[in-house]
Amino acid sequence: MQHRLVRAPLCSLLSALLLAACGGTDVVSTPAEEALGTQESALCSGVTVSTSISGASIYQGELAGSGSWTTSTGANAVRLEYYVNNTLYTSEERTGTSGTWYFSYTGFSSACGITYGFQVKAYPMVIDSAGNRTTCYASPNTVSQNVSTDPCPGGVWVLTGAENCYDLIMASCYTRSWTPSCPASPAGKACSNVGSYCWQVASASTLREYTCQ
């Protein structure tokens, strides 16, 4: 009888210990993604970054640029992404509340008269005392600048005059061919013979003259 009286409480005690060790059935876990999203939202609330381009240029196929960045209170680092013609070329992370950046990449065309769109996108970051890094993707700052190779030898087409065809030939501009004719949207385009001219029919009544300067 004593053995039976002792075994029952002992079994109950072991069962309770096992349940406690295994976490029981009353513990509810929160998905890690939900916790991370909540944490990021809290850390990034009101945090911003500003950046600028001091200068950018291209020489012999190498495009380079430099500038600075500054974060608002609450952020202590920045993620920088560098784009050329909307294509991401490289990225980096820098710590601190302000600093400078530098970008250099080779392999671009060195042909004359080419323009590239250079863009820097900055995201504020928060790094806690344990080294955990949170990037605030919801509040980026973007700056851009067009970078051009050397102009082609010669000049560019410049609008130098216009005629009313109904005054000039008593008819629509479209009733005859005008030579030499200009390339499509000639203004600012490269031309090889400085001093030459061309004609562009702008409408039934307007004929424009461009000169290579």
Side-chain angles (χ1 to χ4, degrees):
M1 292 293 293
Q2 288 181 343
H3 291 293
R4 292 179 185 174
L5 290 173
V6 171
R7 178 179 294 178
L10 182 60
C11 290
S12 299
L13 177 61
L14 287 174
S15 297
L17 289 173
L18 286 172
L19 271 176
C22 294
T25 58
D26 296 330
V27 178
V28 179
S29 60
T30 302
E33 294 154 359
E34 182 180 339
L36 179 61
T38 302
Q39 178 187 19
E40 180 177 334
S41 177
L43 288 173
C44 294
S45 177
V47 171
T48 60
V49 63
S50 61
T51 186
S52 64
I53 298 177
S54 301
S57 61
I58 186 168
Y59 178 71
Q60 294 185 345
E62 180 180 2
L63 194 156
S66 62
S68 60
W69 56 271
T70 303
T71 64
S72 66
T73 302
N76 53 9
V78 66
R79 173 182 171 84
L80 296 161
E81 297 179 346
Y82 305 99
Y83 295 80
V84 179
N85 290 346
N86 296 317
T87 298
L88 176 63
Y89 274 75
T90 186
S91 63
E92 63 176 335
E93 294 178 355
R94 292 179 178 264
T95 58
T97 57
S98 64
T100 58
W101 58 263
Y102 179 76
F103 170 85
S104 177
Y105 210 94
T106 60
F108 297 101
S109 174
S110 57
C112 64
I114 296 179
T115 298
Y116 295 96
F118 176 57
Q119 184 182 75
V120 182
K121 187 174 289 188
Y123 301 90
M125 293 181 62
V126 180
I127 304 176
D128 64 21
S129 57
N132 299 311
R133 310 168 83 88
T134 301
T135 303
C136 304
Y137 287 105
S139 49
N141 176 250
T142 303
V143 290
S144 59
Q145 179 178 322
N146 287 333
V147 182
S148 300
T149 59
D150 291 335
C152 296
V156 295
W157 290 113
V158 177
L159 178 64
T160 53
E163 297 284 351
N164 187 309
C165 287
Y166 291 106
D167 294 334
L168 185 66
I169 61 172
M170 308 298 182
S172 167
C173 295
Y174 295 111
T175 59
R176 58 167 291 183
S177 297
W178 301 90
T179 57
S181 61
C182 294
S185 303
K189 283 189 175 178
C191 50
S192 55
N193 299 316
V194 175
S196 62
Y197 69 94
C198 67
W199 297 103
Q200 180 202 42
V201 177
S203 67
S205 62
T206 305
L207 179 69
R208 292 174 179 169
E209 179 187 44
Y210 288 84
T211 304
C212 184
Q213 298 180 0

